[in-house]
Amino acid sequence: MKQENKMVFSRRNFIRTSALASGGIIIGVNFLGACKETAAPPVDIAQLNFQDFNAFIKIAENGYVTIFSPNPEIGQGVKTSMPMIIAEELDVPWEHVSVEQAPLNNESFQRQVAGGSQSIRFGWDSLRQTGATAKLMLIQAAATRWGVEPNTCTASDGVITNGKGETLGYGDVVNDAAQLEVPENATLKETKDYKIIGKDATNVDIDDIITGKPLFGLDYVAEGMKYVSVLRPPAFGQTLKGFDDTEAKKVSGVTEVVQFGDKIAVLANNTWAAMKGKKALIPEWESDGKLESTEHHDQKLNALLNGGKLTIAREDGNVNKAFAEADQVVERTYESPFLPHNCMEPMNFYANVTADKVHLVGPIQTPAGTARQIADILERDEKDIHLEMTRMGGGFGRRLYGDFAREAARISDLTKKPVKVIFSREDDMAAGTYRPAIKYRIKASLKDGKVTGYHLKEASVNSNMYGLIPNFFPAGAIANYKVETGNYQSNITTGAWRAPYTNFLAFAEQSFFDELAEILEVDAVQLRLDLLDNVDEGADERIQYSASRMKETIKLAADKGNWGKSDANTYQGFAAYYSHNTHVAEVAEVTLENGLPKVKKVTVAVDCGIVVNPTGAKNQVEGGVIDGIGHAMYGDLLFNDGQPKATNFDAYRLIRMDETPIVETHFVENNLSPTGLGEPGLPPAGGALANAIKLATGQRLLKQPFAKDLGKISKDFKS
Amino acid sequence: MGNYSLKVNGKTVDVVADDDTPLLWVLRDELNLAGTKFGCGIGQCGACTVHVDGEATRSCLLPAAAMEGKEITTIEGLATDDKLHPVQEAWKEVDVPQCGYCQAGQIMTASAFLSKNPAPTNDDIRQAMNGNICRCAAYNRIEKAVAIASKNL
Ligand code: FES
Ligand code: FES
């Protein structure tokens, strides 16, 4: 079954061990290299060195284990859950394990983050193999010591036991184990024997976070470092004609002002002086006339939907024939605005460019790519670039883009000083890489009480849905099915934003199904189950969702969320969506307060395979659902002459505690390989909420943010 | 450029900084107390919350020079004698953080609030915490942790 995500790998490609001078063993793992979905070519082990590994396990002579977590933490919990997988197979008590960020200053840049909720999915097989292999080596070392066969020994909780009941701790044999060949035949545990996986483990960095330790990029300081504020063109489409820095240079603490490209950097002895210096600059901007406004984007996207040039992303059967033969055709258009990421920690990066090396430190999700780009810009050898990752105060896609790191590198190169570029919130929101504005038009045909045709058009800014998204549900469930996409090229920078495309597509489709269910007079949950019954599982390689897993997830959500059984004052809405290899279904509950809807509760069912760390997994789902609701309700970035209209939280509304529902999460229990959770909870949330609001108010919401249309119901609703 | 002394986490420290420098940047850049975070700089997000004479206060808008003679407590000074504050303990018990960036501000708001209202209702908690944004939306857990902390004060 393809959902098992089986990977092909050779252990020799990715595990290597070494004795430590100080006693103990260190085991290097290159799990990303080992886990390409196709088999990696065999690697000559003699040519590997420890720089090629991206995770390490250190077992000390006292039996305590340190796991160096490969992936920096953006908040998705992998720094806890990935080491749990190793510890399970190694079979050590979790209390004996400490987790550290993989050593910094690694010259090889192998520690790339697999974005898109993929860390656990790709790490699952190799992390388990690593733990199991290490355990087998320890058993072999103990067996040799006793002069018995390894297969007469067992190991559990850090202790090896032989047939006579004699015991040795891992620490007792660790130096012998370090001398052994890496074995090929380690067996993995059965899921029923798990002791760590599936149990709650608190975030490994909790103590540092709650006591305010300097963990984040913004907290990094280096000797002699200058704080830098950068003035960038306020509007997309503008360039710098000239500037007067007389007043800026008078600000006490400002040490230097330099231009680079269309930007001006103010260097200072502290952040405040840098920010003040930037405000004192008098720039002169010019433009080539291409300063775009929201109305312009609206027209361009409408033109695409109304007969513009689109590309077919998937086509089954003949939608036009289905529409011609239909009893009824339903068509709706859904609209969403640009969205900034608004990571809580604004963008920032440290750079020190010197003759012998380029030292970079900061929060970045793509260290390898960013290092390469900086080597390019500075015309330096990649070997000179030393990039260290810090913990990240949120990512949501924004830190995939290294613009802020490149700025820091250029400024340090120009000024020959160690610098740290710090974005203000205004900088962060105005120089974004936004979720593009998107419109969907969906048309469906109904005949004899069935959905016979489905045509989805996507009009987006700069780019379109990618990969397998056109094959997500309802692809495979409706015989005549077509997805077409097109985009308008803008000079406003856009990019990935938590659950790219599906963050809005799911809202559009899940709202649309609700309308179809209304028209067909069937229950909204039943309509989805009926459609899933049409799917011939496994018949189409491109279809990655599992109809049976989706049905089970839907039923669990309906059951736990008391679907159809709410009291008279509670209105329910339903949505289900598959993305990032995870199946999710949600029941949202809304009440009316002074005639206005308030979301009270969301019951979520998730099938993400084996749940490695339930508390961490639930935290991701809770965050994803509330994030989805918050942005559907309030998120709105409008443009006027190339300039975003909101640049701070006074004008840009993010969801706050009093607006949040209680999120209750239930997992479908199975033994399938785990899949990611950073994103999949988000896409269904907006649709579930909109469907509940429809029931509560009679208002069918087609546009995000909802606050705009809800504001029309009552002036009391502040949008 | 002003020269003044502040009382931070029980210690008196001398500061040399421009008079208009907000307490936030004095703490972070001059005193090496980076636990207090920058989120918006305009009093909207709560990431920079500290206690001034026991009151939860946004440090991003407050000139440090005006803080002479006041008791300032930051996240680094909330635990006493290595004993975590009940709010910090509750944060651990509930496993609150995602990215963690907003959490110092959340904890400082919650601890000042509970010192005034040790037996809050859920609505009280929601109102008190409404000024602190958590972009990761760990709101359910923050809410729960404040309730738990109120029982362990
Ligand atoms: S940084 Fe002070 S309230 Fe946001
Ligand atoms: S935990 Fe990330 S902003 Fe609150």
Side-chain angles (χ1 to χ4, degrees):
Chain A
M1 204 173 158
K2 61 175 149 316
Q3 285 79 15
E4 295 228 28
N5 307 319
K6 277 275 174 277
M7 314 241 176
V8 188
F9 60 88
S10 157
R11 218 155 305 150
R12 282 199 170 271
N13 288 350
F14 81 100
I15 296 180
R16 200 171 170 210
T17 66
S18 174
L20 284 171
S22 53
I25 183 174
I26 188 150
I27 301 158
V29 196
N30 186 343
F31 70 90
L32 287 176
C35 288
K36 303 251 169 61
E37 279 189 312
T38 51
V43 177
D44 178 2
I45 195 163
Q47 286 176 6
L48 290 178
N49 64 49
F50 277 99
Q51 303 297 349
D52 296 325
F53 296 99
N54 45 28
F56 300 90
I57 312 171
K58 193 168 85 187
I59 308 172
E61 284 174 324
N62 62 6
Y64 277 66
V65 176
T66 308
I67 297 175
F68 295 90
S69 175
N71 280 21
E73 186 64 68
I74 337 175
Q76 79 284 45
V78 290
K79 195 174 168 188
T80 306
S81 55
M82 296 179 84
M84 286 172 77
I85 299 171
I86 294 178
E88 179 68 65
E89 289 292 347
L90 180 58
D91 216 324
V92 282
W94 184 240
E95 305 79 63
H96 293 186
V97 176
S98 61
V99 179
E100 287 178 27
Q101 190 70 55
L104 299 175
N105 225 348
N106 177 346
E107 297 185 280
S108 65
F109 301 112
Q110 296 297 313
R111 289 179 281 118
Q112 293 184 39
V113 181
S117 300
Q118 300 300 312
S119 300
I120 287 288
R121 185 164 90 91
F122 285 139
W124 175 243
D125 282 344
S126 53
L127 292 169
R128 286 184 303 154
Q129 284 290 348
T130 302
T133 303
K135 173 173 154 182
L136 182 59
M137 291 173 78
L138 292 160
I139 291 176
Q140 286 176 346
T144 308
R145 175 96 52 100
W146 283 316
V148 301
E149 283 300 314
N151 60 18
T152 63
C153 305
T154 58
S156 175
D157 290 331
V159 178
I160 305 148
T161 309
N162 68 17
K164 286 182 274 178
E166 293 167 323
T167 61
L168 281 167
Y170 283 4
D172 300 329
V173 294
V174 73
N175 290 326
D176 297 352
Q179 309 305 323
L180 299 174
E181 281 278 298
V182 177
E184 287 277 337
N185 54 343
T187 37
L188 298 176
K189 282 185 177 177
E190 290 189 37
T191 49
K192 66 172 171 46
D193 297 324
Y194 284 164
K195 292 180 277 194
I196 295 172
I197 291 172
K199 306 275 184 316
D200 286 344
T202 305
N203 188 324
V204 292
D205 283 331
I206 187 89
D207 287 319
D208 288 347
I209 291 170
I210 62 175
T211 55
K213 293 287 180 312
L215 302 170
F216 298 91
L218 205 75
D219 305 340
Y220 182 82
V221 278
E223 191 62 31
M225 173 184 103
K226 295 293 172 197
Y227 297 79
V228 182
S229 207
V230 175
L231 183 68
R232 303 171 186 83
F236 291 89
Q238 278 180 331
T239 51
L240 181 65
K241 194 170 170 210
F243 65 99
D244 176 351
D245 60 5
T246 323
E247 291 304 313
K249 283 181 169 160
K250 284 187 198 156
V251 172
S252 83
V254 169
T255 58
E256 198 172 348
V257 177
V258 286
Q259 181 188 350
F260 63 109
D262 286 313
K263 303 172 185 175
I264 310 161
V266 178
L267 283 69
N269 294 329
N270 56 67
T271 315
W272 184 244
M275 288 178 170
K276 257 174 50 178
K278 181 177 89 168
K279 286 201 186 105
L281 287 168
I282 305 171
E284 202 184 328
W285 307 108
E286 58 186 356
S287 77
D288 56 9
K290 207 180 175 224
L291 300 179
E292 299 176 358
S293 298
T294 296
E295 299 71 41
H296 172 79
H297 297 134
D298 242 19
Q299 284 166 12
K300 293 291 178 188
L301 297 185
N302 287 340
L304 278 167
L305 293 179
N306 299 330
K309 195 178 151 6
L310 301 176
T311 308
I312 297 172
R314 181 182 170 110
E315 187 170 22
D316 301 326
N318 184 339
V319 285
N320 288 334
K321 187 156 172 279
F323 293 142
E325 292 167 356
D327 299 334
Q328 189 177 353
V329 173
V330 187
E331 183 182 278
R332 294 287 179 270
T333 303
Y334 301 88
E335 301 175 26
S336 69
F338 285 87
L339 292 180
H341 296 83
N342 273 326
C343 300
M344 209 68 218
E345 178 193 17
M347 298 305 111
N348 64 86
F349 228 81
Y350 168 85
N352 188 16
V353 179
T354 55
D356 55 317
K357 70 170 187 172
V358 177
H359 185 205
L360 303 161
V361 185
I364 182 85
Q365 284 174 268
T366 47
T370 301
R372 260 197 306 278
Q373 287 169 348
I374 289 174
D376 263 9
I377 298 173
L378 302 180
E379 296 180 14
R380 297 283 294 251
D381 198 311
E382 258 185 73
K383 285 206 305 291
D384 294 349
I385 318 276
H386 297 239
L387 191 148
E388 301 178 25
M389 287 180 280
T390 59
R391 190 181 181 88
M392 305 180 216
F396 313 108
R398 180 63 181 88
R399 288 188 227 273
L400 294 168
Y401 309 99
D403 47 315
F404 40 88
R406 294 194 298 272
E407 285 183 354
R410 283 189 71 178
I411 296 164
S412 176
D413 188 42
L414 277 171
T415 61
K416 307 287 171 233
K417 290 187 183 69
V419 300
K420 185 153 87 175
V421 169
I422 297 165
F423 282 45
S424 65
R425 177 58 57 193
E426 289 81 3
D427 296 337
D428 194 273
M429 235 187 274
T433 305
Y434 310 106
R435 194 281 298 267
I438 298 184
K439 296 191 188 207
Y440 287 108
R441 180 164 295 163
I442 314 178
K443 191 173 169 184
S445 54
L446 305 176
K447 190 171 171 62
D448 302 330
K450 298 259 178 301
V451 186
T452 54
Y454 189 90
H455 185 185
L456 173 83
K457 289 183 185 180
E458 176 184 88
S460 172
V461 175
N462 291 341
S463 59
N464 289 103
M465 62 166 87
Y466 59 93
L468 291 169
I469 297 175
N471 307 290
F472 285 5
F473 182 80
I478 301 170
N480 304 295
Y481 175 90
K482 188 174 183 180
V483 177
E484 289 183 285
T485 66
N487 63 67
Y488 161 71
Q489 289 297 309
S490 167
N491 57 11
I492 294 170
T493 47
T494 56
W497 193 101
R498 195 177 197 175
Y501 301 96
T502 60
N503 59 44
F504 183 62
L505 174 60
F507 156 75
E509 294 191 311
Q510 294 298 315
S511 300
F512 191 72
F513 289 136
D514 219 55
E515 286 209 66
L516 295 186
E518 249 174 63
I519 295 166
L520 293 170
E521 294 176 358
V522 293
D523 174 74
V525 168
Q526 194 56 47
L527 175 80
R528 289 166 173 90
L529 294 173
D530 292 346
L531 284 169
L532 284 162
D533 277 340
N534 300 337
V535 180
D536 183 4
E537 276 198 68
D540 183 341
E541 276 283 295
R542 295 168 299 171
I543 291 179
Q544 295 272 308
Y545 72 86
S546 154
S548 48
R549 290 177 78 173
M550 192 47 125
K551 280 190 274 190
E552 212 180 321
T553 310
I554 287 174
K555 285 177 191 159
L556 182 65
D559 176 38
K560 298 290 183 185
N562 289 315
W563 176 250
K565 297 190 205 106
S566 63
D567 63 66
N569 301 318
T570 304
Y571 304 90
Q572 294 178 320
F574 187 84
Y577 204 70
Y578 161 93
S579 65
H580 306 275
N581 310 91
T582 296
H583 302 76
V584 182
E586 300 177 7
V587 176
E589 291 189 350
V590 159
T591 58
L592 287 174
E593 286 177 18
N594 305 321
L596 283 167
K598 182 150 188 178
V599 57
K600 290 292 196 187
K601 186 177 172 189
V602 180
T603 307
V604 189
V606 181
D607 180 352
C608 58
I610 292 167
V611 182
V612 177
N613 182 12
T615 173
K618 284 183 184 163
N619 212 349
Q620 288 306 304
V621 175
E622 289 159 17
V625 168
I626 296 175
D627 191 6
I629 285 178
H631 280 91
M633 284 293 288
Y634 312 115
D636 200 9
L637 193 74
L638 305 174
F639 284 86
N640 188 24
D641 289 338
Q643 216 168 322
K645 283 190 183 173
T647 57
N648 207 329
F649 299 138
D650 52 347
Y652 187 91
R653 186 165 174 194
L654 284 171
I655 194 165
R656 290 173 185 268
M657 187 183 280
D658 199 31
E659 296 145 350
T660 57
I662 297 301
V663 178
E664 190 184 287
T665 309
H666 301 271
F667 293 102
V668 173
E669 282 179 37
N670 60 39
N671 287 333
L672 298 168
S673 299
T675 54
L677 275 176
E679 290 158 289
L682 187 149
L689 175 59
N691 294 339
I693 290 176
K694 166 65 174 57
L695 208 57
T697 66
Q699 175 122 344
R700 175 56 70 184
L701 298 163
L702 300 174
K703 288 182 196 165
Q704 291 188 359
F706 302 159
K708 269 191 183 157
D709 282 330
L710 293 174
K712 288 177 200 153
I713 303 180
S714 162
K715 282 199 219 47
D716 293 347
F717 195 90
K718 39 182 177 84
S719 71
Chain B
M1 189 65 78
N3 205 328
Y4 45 88
S5 60
L6 293 179
K7 200 162 175 214
V8 181
N9 299 332
K11 281 188 226 116
T12 303
V13 286
D14 290 322
V15 176
V16 182
D18 265 0
D19 284 352
D20 64 348
T21 310
L23 179 60
L24 169 67
W25 297 113
V26 169
L27 292 171
R28 291 186 56 86
D29 292 351
E30 310 302 327
L31 303 178
N32 255 327
L33 293 169
T36 306
K37 297 297 188 235
F38 168 62
C40 68
I42 59 165
Q44 289 285 328
C45 75
C48 64
T49 306
V50 298
H51 297 171
V52 176
D53 291 339
E55 296 278 346
T57 307
R58 305 289 165 80
S59 65
C60 66
L61 290 175
L62 203 63
M67 293 295 101
E68 275 198 296
K70 303 207 187 277
E71 297 272 350
I72 298 160
T73 307
T74 69
I75 185 74
E76 290 92 343
L78 191 64
T80 39
D81 306 328
D82 286 341
K83 200 181 160 317
L84 291 177
H85 186 281
V87 169
Q88 290 168 312
E89 287 288 1
W91 244 247
K92 235 175 130 158
E93 183 182 332
V94 181
D95 193 22
V96 173
Q98 288 187 36
C99 82
Y101 192 81
C102 73
Q103 299 298 345
Q106 305 276 5
I107 289 170
M108 296 310 280
T109 300
S111 52
F113 162 64
L114 289 178
S115 71
K116 302 222 153 46
N117 185 351
T121 63
N122 258 9
D123 267 354
D124 293 343
I125 294 173
R126 286 188 154 228
Q127 288 314 318
M129 301 305 297
N130 216 39
N132 284 68
I133 293 174
C134 175
R135 175 63 182 85
C136 300
Y139 291 117
N140 277 192
R141 291 185 183 211
I142 295 168
E143 189 176 345
K144 191 169 161 197
V146 178
I148 288 176
S150 73
K151 301 201 171 65
N152 300 328
L153 287 175

